[in-house]
Amino acid sequence: MAGETWKMIQERWRHHGRVMLGIALAATLVAWACELGGGLESTEHIAYDDALVRFTGGRGKSTEVVVVVIDQYSIDKISQSPQLQLNFGNWPYTRTLWARIAQELKAAGARAVLFDAVMDERTADESADLGFAQALRETGLPFYVGMSTSGTADQLARADFQAPVPLTAPEAAPATSPPEDDSFPEEFEDAKAPATPVLTPEALARALAFPASRTDGRPLEALAPKHYPVPPTPALLGAVNGVGLVDMEADGDGSMRRTHFAYTDGTNTYVTLPVRMMADLLGAKEVTLSGRTLRLGERTWHVDDDGSAALDYGGSLEERFVAVRLFAVLNDWIHRSQGEDLEVAAGTFQDKVVIIGGTAVGLNDIKATPFSATEPGMVKQATVVDTLLSGTFITRAPLAVDLGLTFFVALVSAVLLMTVRWTPLEVAWPVALVLGLHVLTGLLLKTSHTHVRMAMHALAGVGASVAALAFNHLVANRETQFIRQAFHRFMEPKLVEQMIRSRQLPRLDGENKEITAFFSDIRGFSTFSERFKEDPRQLVRILNTYLTAVSGALLREGGCLDKYIGDAVVCLFGAPMAQEDHAVRACRGALAAKAAVDALRVDFREKGFPDVYTRIGVNSAVNFVGNFGSDQLFSYTAIGDGMNLAARLEGANKAYGSVIMIGPRTYELAKEHIEVRELDRVRVAGKTEAVTVYELLALKGQLDASTRHTVARYHTALGLYREARFAEAAAVLEAEAARSPEDGPTAKLLERCREYLETPPEKFDGVANLEK
């Protein structure tokens, strides 16, 4: 069975292999064109987000990064405290507050601070800015702030990182002190602030730009046209350790999935805020991109060809990072100054990079990520920093890999559906394909941090599936038409249409299935035809009348006429249309054919024509059925040992004096519906195993009493015969032959018993040999 199935598959590949390849190639090209045209962007985003959340979420807390959140609770608590409000004002707070936060984080052992906001507006009280700058200098805590870009900002001068930085003379700035309040530590009071420095254009460019380059000949990512960086206030430029870009870098749907690491405005190069901080932490003097590699000092990360990478969030901000409220840090600064117990657990900030950012809705820093449509924007900076410290970015699979996988998916879809042609599979495959690609995408994201384009693969696979189904439908229509033309002469037309309507179309390229074969021919046809050698037309008319009578009886039982071989009729039951009761139908057809021939014999005798005594063989077995023949001529038929045995049984009737002989499998399938006589156990030529053969006598309950008595006596004699008690068997048969002299099997078995009595066999096993 497996071998025949494999042959069928090979046959379909041989006939339709080029079509399969063509469909796969066309589906791949269409999917790629849609990808290039942006038509799959939205679908790809949805698929990517779902896979990222399902397969990479829930990773646990970072051990490298802690976030200080400006949440609504902190805003409310500061606004409710008259002293805090007096010193720091309402949001946005004076920079004195950030000086206190920096002092506390330094005392708590923070490694560095990244402030996810810009400080590009001068406050009304400039001494607060200068005081903040002085506090940063005194603590020595690495502190980094963001800068945005704007279409109204001025273009910077070219930054020359080799030349010394020229500064102008500082301008005098008045020093102010907050109102005195003995209930707060002295540290709240600002010391005299230094003057505000005024940078030359060259120095300003040096402060904002950072060396970055590509060594592979490709350009760096460009800022938006005519957009230039907006510098922080001058007071901070000399105090913070560095500034970096904090633009949102959102995709077209507004969600933050990716980041670039370096940009250019055509004059200078700028890096993002996390990269600027990491460059100092790693001792890197420049950022280098080459191919799919990002380098900072001695460290490298895998990125995409365009110098970007997708963010491996691993969960929401709350799930991934230890979060401390701003108010708790501010309180700890007060408690530490007064020698009181701290609110934040010891070691929380020790050797950690601290990200400061807003989570309160009113701060307008709520962004979308794959994990949430309302996520604090600082999650992006925290994720990039955490990845640069100890993680891996998510990168796209190379285009060649994506195209290869796309073609593979399309080819598998086309080959599978065009080979199997099974309706449940045709329905289930597109769904299974999409689910399988989703799982594959997720597993690759999780295990190798590689993003394969699911939408392009799915489109190619589904497109190839649709094309394969259309091709199958076209082939099916052709096969349907072929079947209608091929079988309407050999089957009842209503059965042909029923077969087509129920989609029980035969596999014309062949299949193994159990069927029942019918063979019949006219006894002594050569002698019969001799009578009409002078009038061959009359012979043709007689033969056509005979074949029509036999064929009609078989067709009415749902048989398929296989072929005529002279006077012989070959008919199949159970193919091409599946029939669970094919054996019973064949038996009914054989009895009906015998009855039709008996009626025809009476008519022929009246007309003076020769007798048309017919012998029939019926056998059920698994055979290979399909179209057989050559390029010039082929027909639907069956081949196999089962067919050979049916033909042998038809011929064996002569040796047993029977009319209809059936094989053991036919008897097993139809025994509840028929009356039979067990004739003998026989061994077919070329076979060693003996089989039991039966004479089909009538349908169940239609056997007359006289014949039933004859059958019973025959079975008694057959039992004696098998025990080699030939004399006793002959006695039983002689008595029955005298009563029913017309019974052929009785006479034949009696003849054999007498022969063995005269010449005893040397070795007798009760099995007769059926010669060719």
Side-chain angles (χ1 to χ4, degrees), residues 108-121:
R111 182 181 179 187
V113 175
L114 185 151
F115 192 82
D116 184 30
V118 297
M119 294 184 176
D120 53 14
E121 294 183 0

Side-chain angles (χ1 to χ4, degrees), residues 46-59 257 310-315 369-371 394 438 441-442 445-446:
I46 294 172
Y48 171 80
D49 291 352
D50 190 58
L52 193 73
V53 171
R54 289 179 182 275
F55 289 88
T56 71
R59 187 175 308 138
R257 298 183 181 88
L311 303 180
D312 184 20
Y313 285 102
T369 73
F371 285 85
I394 295 172
H438 176 71
T441 301
L445 286 172
K446 182 177 182 179

Side-chain angles (χ1 to χ4, degrees), residues 447-768:
T447 59
S448 67
H449 293 82
T450 301
H451 171 210
V452 297
R453 295 171 174 84
M454 176 182 166
M456 185 167 71
H457 305 329
L459 177 61
V462 172
S465 299
V466 171
L469 293 180
F471 180 82
N472 288 349
H473 183 69
L474 177 63
V475 171
N477 285 343
R478 290 178 178 174
E479 289 183 349
T480 298
Q481 186 61 27
F482 174 80
I483 288 168
R484 185 177 283 113
Q485 294 175 352
F487 291 104
H488 82 282
R489 294 178 181 271
F490 311 118
M491 293 178 66
E492 282 284 338
K494 63 180 181 181
L495 291 179
V496 175
E497 295 304 321
Q498 178 184 342
M499 180 171 62
I500 293 172
R501 286 196 305 271
S502 62
R503 304 301 300 166
Q504 295 183 20
L505 302 183
R507 290 182 177 176
L508 300 180
D509 49 0
E511 62 181 323
N512 274 318
K513 65 186 305 185
E514 185 176 57
I515 63 171
T516 300
F518 170 101
F519 277 77
S520 74
D521 72 353
I522 299 174
R523 177 185 63 184
F525 181 69
S526 297
T527 303
F528 183 93
S529 60
E530 281 290 324
R531 291 277 304 273
F532 297 95
K533 63 181 180 181
E534 302 298 331
D535 189 4
R537 288 189 177 85
Q538 182 66 11
L539 175 62
V540 171
R541 285 193 291 270
I542 292 173
L543 188 56
N544 286 346
T545 301
Y546 164 81
L547 294 175
T548 300
V550 173
S551 300
L554 298 173
L555 291 175
R556 283 190 290 273
E557 292 300 331
C560 172
L561 294 176
D562 184 348
K563 62 177 70 71
Y564 298 127
I565 309 173
D567 62 312
V569 178
V570 183
C571 186
L572 307 179
F573 291 85
M577 183 176 180
Q579 296 166 328
E580 293 185 2
D581 59 343
H582 54 84
V584 177
R585 288 174 177 267
C587 289
R588 286 205 303 259
L591 291 170
K594 178 179 178 297
V597 172
D598 288 343
L600 199 60
R601 292 170 69 188
V602 174
D603 184 53
F604 280 10
R605 279 198 299 269
E606 293 175 355
K607 295 179 179 178
F609 295 154
D611 194 4
V612 287
Y613 184 82
T614 297
R615 291 189 289 246
I616 298 171
V618 178
N619 186 55
S620 303
V622 174
N623 291 283
F624 191 71
V625 294
N627 272 330
F628 296 89
S630 65
D631 292 340
Q632 291 75 30
L633 179 64
F634 62 89
S635 64
Y636 186 84
T637 187
I639 59 174
D641 287 343
M643 295 293 290
N644 296 336
L645 182 55
R648 300 278 177 79
L649 295 180
E650 179 273 316
N653 281 296
K654 180 179 180 181
Y656 288 90
S658 52
V659 177
I660 307 174
M661 189 179 296
I662 67 174
R665 179 59 178 166
T666 303
Y667 172 71
E668 180 183 346
L669 294 173
K671 61 185 177 181
E672 301 299 327
H673 304 272
I674 57 176
E675 302 282 0
V676 299
R677 175 195 338 226
E678 181 181 340
L679 287 174
D680 202 357
R681 287 177 55 77
V682 301
R683 187 180 294 111
V684 180
K687 301 290 183 180
T688 58
E689 184 180 355
V691 297
T692 303
V693 295
Y694 303 85
E695 180 186 18
L696 177 61
L697 299 172
L699 294 178
K700 199 71 171 180
Q702 296 182 11
L703 192 62
D704 61 82
S706 176
T707 305
R708 192 177 298 278
H709 179 273
T710 299
V711 170
R713 301 305 294 163
Y714 182 89
H715 286 161
T716 299
L718 183 62
L720 295 170
Y721 165 80
R722 286 174 176 168
E723 295 174 2
R725 296 158 64 181
F726 303 123
E728 296 175 53
V732 174
L733 293 168
E734 286 171 352
E736 186 58 32
R739 195 185 72 84
S740 300
E742 74 286 351
D743 187 57
T746 297
K748 291 294 184 180
L749 186 56
L750 176 58
E751 181 182 332
R752 203 186 314 168
C753 288
R754 288 171 176 170
E755 180 182 332
Y756 285 159
L757 284 172
E758 292 179 4
T759 308
E762 294 181 3
K763 184 178 180 181
F764 180 76
D765 58 2
V767 177

Side-chain angles (χ1 to χ4, degrees), residues 150-157 227-231 265 270:
S150 171
T152 60
D154 295 329
Q155 184 174 3
L156 299 175
H227 276 60
Y228 303 104
V230 179
D265 62 359
Y270 310 94

